[in-house]
Amino acid sequence: VYKEWDVMLLSSLLEKASGISTYELCRKYLYQPLEIQSGIWGRSSCGIDYTIIDGMEDNSNLSARDLAKLGHLFLNLGCHQGNRILSENYIRQAISPSKGNESYGFLWWLFPGGYGCRGYGGQEISVIPEKNLVVVIQAKATPQCKSYGDVPRRLIELI
């Protein structure tokens, strides 16, 4: 079940396990190989890197093209331009149902025909493998744009 605290705990664990900040880990092993530019993430008062910290939200300014690269990375089971970025095993686990929740994987929501992730203010990446399709929504953060759950379903119906 997704909660902000789970993601913050994950950030802390990744930093402890890797010995470098979560931002630096992401920059080095994900953003650089995918040619994604992002400002440095905020750091909480207790030392946890996180993209959504008051006053720092704009630093993690991924473009729609960057979000699509992440979606394609998952669509291609961890490969980008012939290079392995993430293990296929990890990708398959991430998009499989979690114990106790058939509609949620490792930070990916699962829906019939695909999976997706959602971020701050209504940002979304939806992956529909059978259609070889990645859909990105990049929205301005307002209370009305927090969820577009109908978009992947409608796309599957239309295609």
Side-chain angles (χ1 to χ4, degrees), residues 34-36 64-74 80 134:
L34 295 176
E35 299 176 353
I36 290 175
R65 188 176 308 270
D66 293 337
L67 296 174
K69 288 177 183 179
L70 294 170
H72 276 277
L73 182 64
F74 271 73
H80 174 70
V134 172

Side-chain angles (χ1 to χ4, degrees), residues 57-95:
E57 294 89 354
D58 290 340
N59 284 5
S60 180
N61 53 353
L62 301 187
S63 68
R65 188 176 308 270
D66 293 337
L67 296 174
K69 288 177 183 179
L70 294 170
H72 276 277
L73 182 64
F74 271 73
L75 178 66
N76 295 312
L77 300 174
C79 289
H80 174 70
Q81 297 179 344
N83 297 313
R84 170 114 353 244
I85 308 296
L86 297 172
S87 78
E88 183 175 339
N89 184 49
Y90 169 76
I91 300 290
R92 291 195 185 283
Q93 287 181 42
I95 59 174

